[in-house]
Every structure is written in structure tokens, then in C-alpha cells.
Amino acid sequence: MRPINGDDVIAAVEGSTAVLGTAVERDWKGVRAGRLEWSCRETADHIVTAFMGYASRLAVGAQDWLLFDVTVDEDAHNAAVLDVIRSTGALLAAVVRTTPRGVRAVHPYPFGSADREGFAAMGVAEVLLHTHDIAEGLGLAYEPAEELAEAVLTWLFPHVQPGPAPWPTLLWATGRGELPGRAPVTEWRWQNNLVIPAERLALVGVRPAAARDLRLGGDGGFEWLEGGPFEGTRVASTYMMKAYESGVHRPEFGVFALVRHEDGRAIGGMGFHGVPDEEGRVEVGYDLVEGARGQGYATEALRMLTEWALARDDVDTVFATIEGDNLPSQRVVSRAGFTRATVEEERAAQEENGADSDLQLHIRRR
């Protein structure tokens, strides 16, 4: 898998300016941009503001908003505005290319930050969607490259079920179009991935684009410790993609890569087998690359993920099912605060799920 990057920002800008460049002599200030309240000119200015904001925050890994303003001269010709879009787009692309893996900077929705891929995807989204708005206002035909629209969906819209084609799906997901069989969208947000920090590692939410690559035998865009990713992570990614493709995936209850702080390497995977049920129960699973075992990483990650889940209103119980002869995994859950379920609870769980009678049920409650 090639993660979304600065080249995609440049490609999006080139496609945008090629179309809008055919209408630079038109009145952009007096024409509304599609369904927006902004004029076409205000919308073009917004692209510049977004590029500068994303680039400046990512460049320094800012954890707070940078207090500055960027404006395009009110009297600037439309052609000059496109030049500024090109230049600020190139700036964002350069920052994305040079920012180290794992650096995150502030972005409000929904989890407070984004990494370089997130900022690249947001930049591409700004260009694609607002070029559509301007083109619609000016009566121009515009459709971006399919791979760009698909990249935005798989990096920023993990909660949106894929449609028959990426571009109409993206327009529908952002309230700009219709899809047969789906209700109109009136409110929307894109979603950067969740990262849960622990002492020696971070649990980094795996996006659909990365899960697809892991399912197909790739690295998911992570730098793995030798021997990784382990088979359990690939299987979990397969189930996650099935949930995504069927429209029931919730990113916060997906798969996480365990990434060490000391070297930025992924050493395993951990995550949930689905969303909480009606009684607030959710199952967790995990694996580690062999070279990372026996060092307490799984315990540390499981403790953090479980505490994160139990702090939510929709989770009352986190449980894990473990084979009776898997003593190392049993020790992990025990150190993470889980207790063995009663015989009755285990028997009920086995009957409910058709599970092997050799499986043990371990539980941690709120």
C-alpha cells in the first residue's frame, strides 16, 4: 500500500486548477459556490487558509492552535488566487513529505489530532470538495481522479459504507449529492484515527486503507518489528474490512497497531471484535510479534485499551476468550485486571457463541 501523501495533494491541486483555470475571467465574488453560503471566491480563499493551517500545525507538531491569519488580497485576480492555491498546496505537500512517521498535530474532530496522512487526506478533501462547490456555482464540469476520492474515503470516512463509486459516495457523505437507497446527509464530519497513548507505546487506530493492505499481506503503512505483522492482526483486519464494507464499522471499536515510542516500530495488533452489544459487552483480542513478547507490552496496551473502553457510557464489560493451554495470554489478562468468569458465565458464553468448551472467559467490568 502506498499511504496517501504529498503527491496526492499536488495531484488534487493540479486537477482543480486545470478546471477552475478555464473560468478565471468570470465573476467569482458574486456567485454562490454550490450549496455553500460562501461565494466562489470565498471558497477558493478557504482552500488557501486550510492549506496554510494544516501545513503550519503539522510542521511543528502543534498541540494548540497557532494564532495567525492568512488572507488573499481582496483585489487579487482569480488567476492569482489559483497561483496561491498552487503555492500553499505545494507547501502542504512538502511538509507531509518531510514530517516523520508518528508526528501528530492538533485537529479538533473527533479525537483531537491527525498525523501526516491525515493532514494529506484533509488537504485533498478540501480541494476536491470545494472545487466541486465552485465548479457547481460556475456551471463547470468537474470530477476528480477516482483514486483521490477513494483515498479520502478510506482515510477520513471509515464510518461511511463504500458506495458503487468513490466520487458520488464522497459527495453523498458530505451532503453534496444523493445515493440510491441512502437517506440524504445533512450533518457530517470526517474522522481522523484514534490514538491511545501508553507509557512505552501507542495504540494507533488502523484506517480502512491500512486494514485493506494488511488483509492483502502488506504492512498497512507501518514499520514492523521483524516477523510482523503477526497472523492475528491480518485476520482482525479482514474482519474490520468486512464491517467497513457492510457499513457497520465504528473506528473506535476497530483494530489498533501497537507502536513503540522508542523506535516507531509496530510490534503487534489489538482491538475489538465488534461494537458493544445491548448489554454493554465488548470482546477484545490481541497478538504480538514474537520478538516483542515477554516484555509486558501486551499487558500495558490491554490495560490502557480496557480503561479507555470502560470510561465510555456504552461499555460496561470488556471480555477476552483464551484457550485453556495459552498460559502467557492468561497471564496478560490477569495482569491487566481481568478475572476468570464463573463456570456458569463461561458455559453461557460457549452456548451463545458456539465456542469450544476449552476456551476460558476472562472479564473486566466497570
Side-chain angles (χ1 to χ4, degrees), residues 47-227:
I47 296 174
V48 171
T49 301
F51 279 166
M52 284 298 298
Y54 295 163
S56 60
R57 299 203 302 275
L58 181 60
V60 297
Q63 300 305 302
D64 293 302
W65 294 99
L66 301 180
L67 302 180
F68 71 95
D69 191 19
V70 177
T71 59
V72 181
D73 192 308
E74 185 177 347
D75 296 326
H77 189 273
N78 293 332
V81 175
L82 294 185
D83 285 339
V84 179
I85 289 176
R86 291 188 188 95
S87 63
T88 52
L91 178 61
L92 175 59
V95 172
V96 168
R97 290 168 180 149
T98 57
T99 297
R101 183 197 309 268
V103 171
R104 298 184 74 87
V106 63
H107 189 78
Y109 192 84
F111 303 120
S113 69
D115 57 12
R116 63 187 184 185
E117 289 83 11
F119 278 104
M122 290 188 291
V124 173
E126 296 282 3
V127 179
L128 267 54
L129 295 171
H130 290 314
T131 298
H132 164 81
D133 298 331
I134 298 170
E136 188 174 58
L138 296 174
L140 304 175
Y142 171 71
E143 183 169 344
E146 183 175 274
E147 58 267 23
L148 291 177
E150 184 177 24
V152 171
L153 287 169
T154 56
W155 287 92
L156 291 180
F157 290 85
H159 52 297
V160 172
Q161 182 180 15
W167 180 232
T169 303
L170 182 58
L171 292 178
W172 169 81
T174 58
R176 291 171 166 84
E178 299 179 355
L179 278 185
R182 300 196 192 185
V185 173
T186 56
E187 294 183 4
W188 62 273
R189 294 276 191 177
W190 58 49
Q191 293 196 16
N192 280 291
N193 63 331
L194 171 64
V195 174
I196 302 174
E199 182 179 353
R200 295 179 297 163
L201 51 79
L203 292 87
V204 180
V206 174
R207 300 169 169 101
R212 177 185 297 161
D213 188 59
L214 286 165
R215 179 180 65 176
L216 296 175
D219 59 16
F222 297 95
E223 183 180 352
W224 289 86
L225 192 67
E226 184 177 355

Side-chain angles (χ1 to χ4, degrees), residues 32-33 36 38-48 85 129-131 133-134:
R32 182 174 170 178
L36 303 184
W38 295 335
S39 69
C40 291
R41 172 57 190 274
E42 288 171 327
T43 305
D45 289 350
H46 172 77
I47 296 174
V48 171
I85 289 176
L129 295 171
H130 290 314
T131 298
D133 298 331
I134 298 170

